[in-house]
Amino acid sequence: MKIVFATNNPNKLKEIKALVPKHIEIVSLSEIGCNEDIPETGETLEANAFQKVNYVKEHFGYDCFADDSGLEINALNGNPGVYSARYAGPERNADANMAKIITELNGCENRKAQFRTAIALVLNGEEQLFEGKVEGEISLIKLGEKGFGYDPIFVPENETRSFAQMTMQEKGEISHRGKAVRRLINYLSSL
Ligand code: IMP
């Protein structure tokens, strides 16, 4: 069985390949000759994930899965959400994104937030959705150096450390992406 993972992010690809059973071959977008930017114009994470898999199915004919993640902050009505990567502007700068959030939450007592991942799969003509989320709080200042994106300002529940103060393994055990990926892998392994 051959399934496309609609990403060109080598880290995500490597992570998934290591987890999927051997009889399932995972291939990247560049390996199927898809080098264009796939449109991501949905208003939800789920819509964007399905937009990517349907694009691959329609243009290249392969079964496919795709992920989309975002940070949802209660006091900001769920923002940045689907706009997480480019919250402070099109240059997708993580420091600028975090600075914008720290400013917007200045003096705000409700710091509750969640990371969410949606993974869409189209396989043998059927669509499926796998989700993962982790609740937590936005810290007052940046904490730690590891990870990427909003990791330094997100402290998951039942923890005192931010994601950026954890190893990749520690984060993966509780993270939104880790949970969604494990649900996808369980499903693929059951086939
Ligand atoms: P993507 O859909 O995985 O590319 O995530 C979109 C954006 O959400 C990223 O560019 C980050 O800004 C943010 N994000 C998603 N997952 C994480 C995470 O695990 N840590 C920190 N930021 C994240």
Side-chain angles (χ1 to χ4, degrees), residues 9 12 40 45 52 67-71 81-86 92 94 97 115-117 147-152 154 163 171 175-177:
N9 178 329
K12 284 187 182 177
E40 283 183 59
L45 301 174
K52 287 187 267 188
D67 70 332
D68 205 38
S69 303
L71 176 64
V82 75
Y83 308 108
S84 292
R86 50 203 143 97
R92 297 170 170 250
N97 288 340
F115 268 120
R116 233 163 41 81
T117 293
F148 72 100
Y150 298 95
D151 280 346
F154 185 82
F163 268 167
K171 179 184 163 187
S175 79
H176 48 311
R177 191 172 302 97

